[in-house]
Amino acid sequence: MAEKQLDVLSVGDVVIDAFIKLSDEKARVEKTQEGPRLSMKYATKVPFEESIVIPAVGNASNAAVCFAKLGLRSGLVANIGADDWGRDIVVALRTAKVDTRFIHVNPGRKSNYHYVLWYKEDRTILIKHEKFSYRWPRFRVIDIPRWIYFSSVSSHALEYHDQLSTWLEGHPPVKLAFQPGTFQIAAGTERLKKIYARAEVLAVNREEAATITGKDRTNLHVLFDELHGLGPKIVLISDGHAGAYASDGHERYKMPIYPDPKPPYERTGAGDSFTSTFVAALMRGANTETALLWAPINAMSVVQKVGAQEGLLNALGIDRYLRAAPRGYHPERLR
């Protein structure tokens, strides 16, 4: 069977998440000047309810699985260690129908393994990024995707951004979606200006938009103006329970959340599913308004399950929820 061009190649770190569900009685959230803090007894044994290990997660990997679930030919560029964790990651991705040819195995290194302290419906993640040898892969012509979806990598990978920028300059037809992670935002827009300038879609939450631009989070139009000024054609700003906002350079929209059928079970991956579903809809030919209809549905579904991938819907599932949507579920022009 002849090989077909990938629709999208997601790029970013891949990890294993070990969820530890804390007992409601053995932990609590305390308010501090720096924000809420998770609190437990110190220097003692603290019972927990259960643990669940989920391989092949992380922003880019979650997006890759979402794309495959929505019927797109999806691959992942990532680094793993030469260990059992790395093998588990590859098996999970292949099971999800994600192309793993571009995953680089780093001899003598461990794969990324994070611990998720799951308390009530939210989580606190203990992270450690391994120091991999980041290098952009070589592609045959048939391997060149239609889209690149670029997301979180470690602070050790700044030169990797330069490699990607150079490759994108040599491949103008390839579209870029950029969902910056914590370290990428901290690197600043000047250091990553070629990535921002090349983006077809830039996706951030409202706090990240304020951090990136240095502007007040309350003025959405200023945030959009500043982010478009960096170069992206479409800017997507998520805002938790308040919904989301999108600008295509001509029109700006506000989109409500899709009503939860029951209280969220666990919130990991809601942002990834929202953004990747929005981008997937664009890849399938949708306009900005239609993409906004799709994205909240997958985010709603994901938080009903544990982890970032179990609740992902296929296109038929999204369509079912669209048909059952309440009357007010539609994008409105932002005033």
Side-chain angles (χ1 to χ4, degrees):
M1 183 181 294
E3 291 180 310
K4 294 182 178 180
Q5 181 185 24
L6 288 174
D7 293 307
V8 55
L9 195 55
S10 300
V11 180
D13 287 346
V14 61
V15 311
I16 289 180
D17 275 351
F19 282 78
I20 303 170
K21 184 167 177 52
L22 304 176
S23 169
D24 289 358
E25 292 76 32
K26 299 301 180 180
R28 66 177 182 269
V29 175
E30 298 177 343
K31 293 182 178 180
T32 73
Q33 291 183 342
E34 298 176 342
R37 286 184 175 271
L38 180 65
S39 175
M40 294 178 287
K41 284 187 176 180
Y42 177 63
T44 187
K45 295 179 180 179
V46 179
F48 66 93
E49 292 189 8
E50 64 175 321
S51 64
I52 303 172
V53 177
I54 303 178
V57 293
N59 300 111
S61 185
N62 295 337
V65 173
C66 179
F67 294 139
K69 191 83 173 182
L70 290 171
L72 298 166
R73 291 185 293 274
S74 171
L76 179 67
V77 176
N79 283 272
I80 58 174
D83 54 10
D84 289 342
W85 294 344
R87 286 185 282 275
D88 290 344
I89 286 170
V90 170
V91 169
L93 289 168
R94 288 176 177 168
T95 301
K97 299 182 179 179
V98 174
D99 193 318
T100 61
R101 285 175 293 158
F102 307 109
I103 293 181
H104 176 58
V105 179
N106 292 254
R109 297 285 184 185
K110 295 180 180 179
S111 299
N112 290 319
Y113 197 101
H114 295 171
Y115 296 89
V116 184
L117 303 181
W118 173 15
Y119 180 64
K120 297 186 183 295
E121 76 279 5
D122 224 322
R123 78 284 183 275
T124 300
I125 307 176
L126 307 181
I127 66 171
K128 182 179 184 295
H129 290 269
E130 300 296 331
K131 294 183 178 180
F132 294 126
S133 298
Y134 287 87
R135 60 190 186 196
W136 188 244
R138 294 182 178 180
F139 297 100
R140 302 170 299 165
V141 173
I142 191 62
D143 295 330
I144 297 172
R146 295 184 175 89
W147 282 74
I148 294 287
Y149 186 99
F150 188 33
S151 193
S152 178
V153 293
S154 82
S155 58
H156 314 298
L158 273 177
E159 292 184 1
Y160 192 54
H161 297 75
D162 303 328
Q163 297 173 30
L164 173 57
S165 294
T166 299
W167 185 85
L168 286 169
E169 288 174 359
H171 299 84
V174 178
K175 293 183 178 180
L176 173 67
F178 185 34
Q179 180 201 12
T182 303
F183 296 120
Q184 291 164 319
I185 292 172
T189 56
E190 181 61 28
R191 179 62 182 85
L192 302 185
K193 63 181 179 181
K194 289 185 178 180
I195 298 293
Y196 282 99
R198 185 63 165 75
E200 183 79 13
V201 179
L202 172 66
V204 293
N205 65 38
R206 194 161 180 169
E207 295 301 330
E208 291 168 341
T211 299
I212 290 167
T213 63
K215 302 299 182 181
D216 193 308
R217 72 182 302 279
T218 60
N219 194 322
L220 281 163
H221 287 294
V222 170
L223 294 177
F224 275 131
D225 290 343
E226 293 290 325
L227 292 173
H228 275 302
L230 298 173
K233 295 181 177 64
I234 297 173
V235 175
L236 180 66
I237 300 176
S238 59
D239 194 17
H241 294 295
Y245 309 89
S247 170
D248 59 12
H250 302 287
E251 297 289 346
R252 294 174 178 179
Y253 303 97
K254 178 180 180 179
M255 184 69 200
I257 63 170
Y258 195 95
D260 293 314
K262 56 185 177 180
Y265 188 53
E266 195 277 313
R267 295 187 187 278
T268 301
D272 293 341
S273 61
F274 182 93
T275 302
S276 53
T277 303
F278 179 89
V279 175
L282 297 179
M283 292 178 191
R284 291 168 58 103
N287 59 20
T288 303
E289 290 178 89
T290 301
L292 279 172
L293 287 168
W294 277 44
I297 293 174
N298 238 349
M300 171 276 299
S301 182
V302 161
V303 301
Q304 298 297 327
K305 305 287 186 179
V306 180
Q309 298 174 9
E310 186 180 352
L312 289 171
L313 299 167
N314 58 22
L316 183 60
I318 288 178
D319 185 62
R320 287 197 188 103
Y321 277 105
L322 272 177
R323 292 175 184 275
R327 182 172 297 180
Y329 184 74
H330 58 80
E332 296 181 354
R333 282 184 170 81
L334 187 63
R335 304 301 178 188

